[in-house]
Each structure stands twice: as structure tokens, then as C-alpha cells.
């Protein structure tokens, strides 16, 4: 029997961030149970295909945990501009200078974030990181395939969209299948990206070019109908380069190289409860969002920051930190924030995907009007970062 104050199921970015934040703020004993025995290794000469757009709020969270410098020692790619347009006549341009900020955010490989957090975890003796598959949840206890048993007043489900712990708790999830697949890859382009994150909305879905440290390298996220994505995945590289350049309206010039192509299905889901019977959900276990706004990981990190703040404040004020009242405060805050973000993303996707002339006309007018209205742009940018 292994007794802890708190057990986190899932040692990915969000689960590891919660452990680091709590260890910094409290003396709680924490166990992290991660099913995956090892993570991909970072390479200085190769970009991993899984990257995240990290907002300034998440950057500040990393800085507060003293892991940001560890990431910078490997590789972070700042972007100072965001350009969005459609195939018609509407476009909008955001610039960090308009907010008096040096950057709008960073494109970072997930393995860079993961390795920095795991390195930080090693500095906290109160965190016990174990690997192994969970096979049972009985009487508020977690059983691993190795025969170990873990218990704690609070269990945290940070084990992703297909959360095992969420299922064990009987928490239902609302699903929506976008009937689209995202193709991700690293590409070398003829023209420099100039630290600009660019996205074009096509009838088939959005295509984003996310700038990396090398001025001619970008990570792409190309949303396509499912069968079309499979076709593009299997294309000869030369043909794929030509189709990608055409889809992006040659804004990056010729595509010189495309490598590490992968696909994954696009779905939206939201747990009907974030808290139940001593279990709390964070990250993708609680919510999954379309990647067009690049907010998935940022939402999960905000969950971790909020939960850590509420627990540490309750301990400081000698309240029941694992009690339902404290956890309900987390649930109310997160569900309100998540609902607004998810509805906003769905609205963008619907409006930009429409082929109706009236919608396209209204869209073009609205986007161009916003682009000309500096104070409204600043509000949007401030919320996004």
C-alpha cells in the first residue's frame, strides 16, 4: 500500500505541471502514475512533429515553476505576429508591438516541455514518479499491474482524452466528431516566416504554418476531411510539396522539404463533471478542443495552475483542500472558461467553413472591420495570449 496526499494519473505535460506547482507551493506528498515507460528523446538536429503554441499566460506559469529556463536551453520558437485570412477577401493581422509585448507566444515541441518538467520533478523528494499500467480502481484505491496499490484523499485524472480514471469514476463525456483529420509535419520553405504564425481558412478546413527557430522551418497543422488526409499522408513527397504550396496560396514560396508526416482525428469533447467522489479532471481528460486556435495545452495548463492555487490557498487557510467545496470552485471556474473558449472556436470554424455567399460577405466585413479597429484587436489579442 502506497499512501499519499494526492495521486496524479498521467505524467504528461499537464499532470507534471500540476505536480511541480503543488510541490513548489505545499508540502503535500504526491505520486504520479504514468502508463508510458518512456517519452521520445529531444534532438538538437531534428524537430519532433508534436508541437504546441504556448501563450504568454502559460509562459508565466512555467517561469513561476522555474522550468522556463530549462526549455530555453533546448529550443523555443517565439512568434511576434499572427496572420489569418481566407480564400476570399478577408484577413486580420496581429502584432506584438500593438500590445507593447516582445512576443505573442512560442511554438515549442511537446518533448521539450515534458523533459523540462520531468527534470524539475527530480528536484522534489515529495514527488514519487512511477510508471505502470493501472488495472483496477476499487474502494478509492488504484491497483497497478505490478501489484502496487495507491491511495490518497484526492485523485487527479490527467491521463488524456481517453482517460482511464475518468471512465472508472463513471463520468460521462459529450462528444462531437468534426469528421476531419489533422495532418502535421515539419516543412522547409523558400521564404522566411519572419516569426509569423499564419493560418488560412480553406473550404476543407484551416491550414496553419507555425514558425520554428530556423527562419525557413515551420510546423504545419492541416485540417482535412478524413479520406483526404489519408491520401495526402501517402502522397509522394514532391507531389505533397506542390499541393501544400498551392493550398497555402504560395505565401511561403516553394515547399523545399516536408518530413515527419503524421495524422490524428479531430474531435471535441467535454466531461459532464470535472469533480466526482474524490476525483478531479484536468487537461484533455476534462476537455478536448479543435486545434485551430492553438489553445488545447494552454487550457490544460490553466487547469493545473488554478487547481494548484486553490489547494495551496485552502491549506494556508486551514480549510479542507480536498473537500468538495474547494473542488467545486475549481470546476465552476474551469467550466465557465472552457465553455466560452470552445464555443468561440466552434463559431470561428463554422463561419470560416461556410460556403454561403451571405455568410462569406458578413465574415469578410467583420474580419476586415476588426483588422481596422485597433482597440478591438488589442482586446482579442489580450484574451488570446
Amino acid at each position: 500500500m502506497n499512501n499519499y496526499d494526492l495521486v496524479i494519473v498521467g505524467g504528461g505535460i499537464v499532470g507534471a505541471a500540476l505536480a511541480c506547482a503543488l510541490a513548489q507551493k505545499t508540502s503535500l506528498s504526491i505520486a504520479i502514475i504514468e502508463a508510458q515507460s518512456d517519452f521520445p528523446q529531444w534532438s538538437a538536429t531534428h524537430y519532433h512533429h508534436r508541437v504546441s503554441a504556448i501563450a504568454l499566460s502559460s509562459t508565466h506559469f512555467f517561469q513561476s515553476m522555474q522550468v522556463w529556463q530549462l526549455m530555453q536551453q533546448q529550443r523555443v520558437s517565439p512568434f511576434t505576429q499572427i496572420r489569418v485570412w481566407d480564400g476570399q477577401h478577408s484577413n486580420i493581422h496581429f502584432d506584438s508591438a500593438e500590445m507593447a509585448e516582445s512576443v505573442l507566444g512560442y511554438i515549442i515541441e511537446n518533448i521539450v516541455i515534458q523533459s523540462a518538467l520531468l527534470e524539475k520533478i527530480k528536484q522534489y523528494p515529495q514527488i514519487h514518479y512511477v510508471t505502470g499500467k493501472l488495472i483496477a480502481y476499487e474502494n478509492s484505491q488504484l491497483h497497478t499491474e505490478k501489484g502496487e496499490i495507491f491511495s490518497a484523499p484526492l485523485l487527479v485524472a490527467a491521463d488524456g482524452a481517453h482517460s482511464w480514471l475518468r471512465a472508472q469514476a463513471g463520468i460521462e463525456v459529450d462528444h462531437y466528431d468534426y469528421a476531419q483529420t489533422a495532418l502535421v509535419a515539419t516543412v522547409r520553405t523558400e521564404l522566411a516566416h519572419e516569426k509569423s504564425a499564419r493560418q488560412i481558412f480553406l473550404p476543407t478546413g484551416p491550414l496553419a504554418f507555425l514558425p520554428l527557430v530556423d527562419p525557413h522551418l515551420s510546423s504545419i497543422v492541416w485540417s482535412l476531411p478524413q479520406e483526404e488526409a489519408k491520401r495526402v499522408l501517402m502522397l509522394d513527397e514532391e507531389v505533397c510539396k506542390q499541393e501544400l504550396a498551392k493550398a497555402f496560396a504560395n505565401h511561403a514560396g516553394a515547399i523545399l522539404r516536408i518530413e515527419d508526416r503524421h495524422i490524428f482525428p479531430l474531435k471535441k469533447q467535454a466531461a459532464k463533471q470535472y469533480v466526482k467522489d474524490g476525483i478531479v479532471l484536468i487537461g484533455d481528460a476534462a476537455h478536448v478542443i479543435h486545434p485551430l486556435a492553438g489553445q488545447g495545452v494552454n487550457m490544460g495548463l490553466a487547469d493545473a495552475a488554478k487547481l494548484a492555487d486553490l489547494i495551496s490557498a485552502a491549506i494556508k487557510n486551514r480549510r479542507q483542500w480536498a473537500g468538495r467545496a474547494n473542488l467545486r470552485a475549481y470546476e465552476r471556474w474551469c467550466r465557465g472558461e472552457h465553455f466560452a473558449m470552445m464555443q468561440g472556436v466552434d463559431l470561428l470554424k463554422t463561419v470560416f467553413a461556410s460556403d454561403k455567399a451571405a455568410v462569406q460577405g458578413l465574415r469578410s466585413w467583420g474580419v476586415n472591420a476588426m483588422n481596422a479597429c485597433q482597440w478591438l484587436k488589442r482586446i482579442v489579442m489580450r484574451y488570446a495570449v
Side-chain angles (χ1 to χ4, degrees):
M1 175 70 74
N2 299 280
N3 296 312
Y4 292 89
D5 293 318
L6 183 139
V7 174
I8 301 171
V9 177
I13 291 173
V14 176
L18 174 63
C20 286
L22 284 172
Q24 183 185 56
K25 296 170 180 287
T26 73
S27 59
L28 295 176
S29 60
I30 302 166
I32 300 175
I33 305 175
E34 169 54 46
Q36 193 171 327
S37 58
D38 58 353
F39 290 93
Q41 295 298 306
W42 179 77
S43 169
T45 59
H46 174 76
Y47 283 88
H48 195 262
H49 66 278
R50 293 293 300 276
V51 304
S52 293
I54 298 301
L56 295 185
S57 57
S58 297
T59 304
H60 298 154
F61 185 37
F62 290 144
Q63 290 170 339
S64 72
M65 293 186 289
Q66 299 175 355
V67 296
W68 180 243
Q69 188 174 2
L70 296 173
M71 297 178 201
Q72 289 179 307
Q73 290 171 2
Q74 292 186 318
R75 188 164 50 210
V76 301
S77 307
F79 59 92
T80 60
Q81 300 177 76
I82 299 173
R83 297 181 182 275
V84 180
W85 69 97
D86 63 8
Q88 306 297 317
H89 308 289
S90 58
N91 69 87
I92 191 164
H93 173 222
F94 300 102
D95 194 314
S96 60
E98 298 174 16
M99 289 176 52
E101 296 278 3
S102 58
V103 299
L104 289 176
Y106 297 85
I107 306 300
I108 311 178
E109 295 150 274
N110 287 8
I111 56 174
V112 169
I113 304 173
Q114 184 74 42
S115 63
L117 289 166
L118 294 183
E119 189 63 32
K120 190 65 178 178
I121 282 172
K122 296 176 183 176
Q123 300 176 20
Y124 291 111
Q126 72 201 81
I127 302 177
H128 183 201
Y129 187 98
V130 298
T131 58
K133 184 179 179 182
L134 290 169
I135 58 172
Y137 171 63
E138 299 174 352
N139 301 319
S140 300
Q141 297 175 347
L142 298 167
H143 298 251
T144 73
E145 61 183 354
K146 300 175 184 177
E148 296 175 297
I149 302 174
F150 292 83
S151 70
L154 182 61
L155 306 178
V156 179
D159 48 345
H162 305 289
S163 172
W164 177 88
L165 184 54
R166 183 189 65 215
Q168 296 301 307
I171 297 176
E172 296 181 353
V173 179
D174 288 325
H175 295 272
Y176 179 78
D177 191 336
Y178 288 110
Q180 281 194 317
T181 296
L183 183 143
V184 297
T186 303
V187 302
R188 179 169 290 279
T189 60
E190 177 187 11
L191 303 178
H193 53 61
E194 298 178 330
K195 296 183 179 179
S196 178
R198 296 168 290 177
Q199 183 163 245
I200 181 172
F201 281 88
L202 302 166
T204 52
L207 166 60
F209 273 59
L210 308 175
L212 301 175
V213 171
D214 186 312
H216 291 272
L217 279 183
S218 296
S219 178
I220 68 162
V221 184
W222 193 357
S223 300
L224 293 162
Q226 294 167 343
E227 293 305 315
E228 179 68 2
K230 293 176 184 177
R231 183 190 70 82
V232 174
L233 178 69
M234 302 305 296
L235 283 177
D236 174 80
E237 184 178 348
E238 287 302 315
V239 177
C240 187
K241 289 191 297 186
Q242 293 172 14
E243 289 201 14
L244 178 59
K246 182 180 179 181
F248 203 55
N250 295 306
H251 279 84
I255 306 298
L256 304 180
R257 190 173 76 240
I258 181 167
E259 59 184 36
D260 223 9
R261 277 178 275 174
H262 296 264
I263 60 174
F264 59 91
L266 295 179
K267 298 179 180 180
K268 178 180 74 171
Q269 66 181 41
K272 293 185 178 180
Q273 296 171 263
Y274 285 12
V275 176
K276 183 181 179 182
D277 300 333
I279 294 175
V280 59
L281 275 52
I282 64 173
D284 284 358
H287 46 78
V288 176
I289 191 172
H290 195 287
L292 71 86
Q295 293 297 328
V297 170
N298 295 304
M299 290 169 66
L301 290 169
D303 294 349
K306 186 65 176 179
L307 185 58
D309 284 345
L310 285 171
I311 289 175
S312 61
I315 291 172
K316 183 179 180 180
N317 294 307
R318 299 188 177 184
R319 299 196 309 268
Q320 289 189 333
W321 62 269
R324 182 164 179 78
N326 204 42
L327 299 179
R328 282 285 292 137
Y330 160 79
E331 182 177 46
R332 285 193 300 271
W333 181 87
C334 287
R335 293 196 73 177
E337 289 287 316
H338 298 160
F339 179 80
M341 179 64 74
M342 296 174 92
Q343 292 298 107
V345 168
D346 275 358
L347 178 62
L348 280 174
K349 184 181 182 303
T350 300
V351 169
F352 276 93
S354 177
D355 58 358
K356 296 180 179 178
V359 175
Q360 291 178 348
L362 185 61
R363 178 184 70 205
S364 295
W365 175 85
V367 170
N368 292 329
M370 179 184 291
N371 197 42
C373 184
Q374 293 301 314
W375 66 268
L376 183 56
K377 279 176 64 176
R378 282 194 291 270
I379 291 174
V380 172
M381 278 194 293
R382 184 63 63 185
Y383 181 73
V385 304

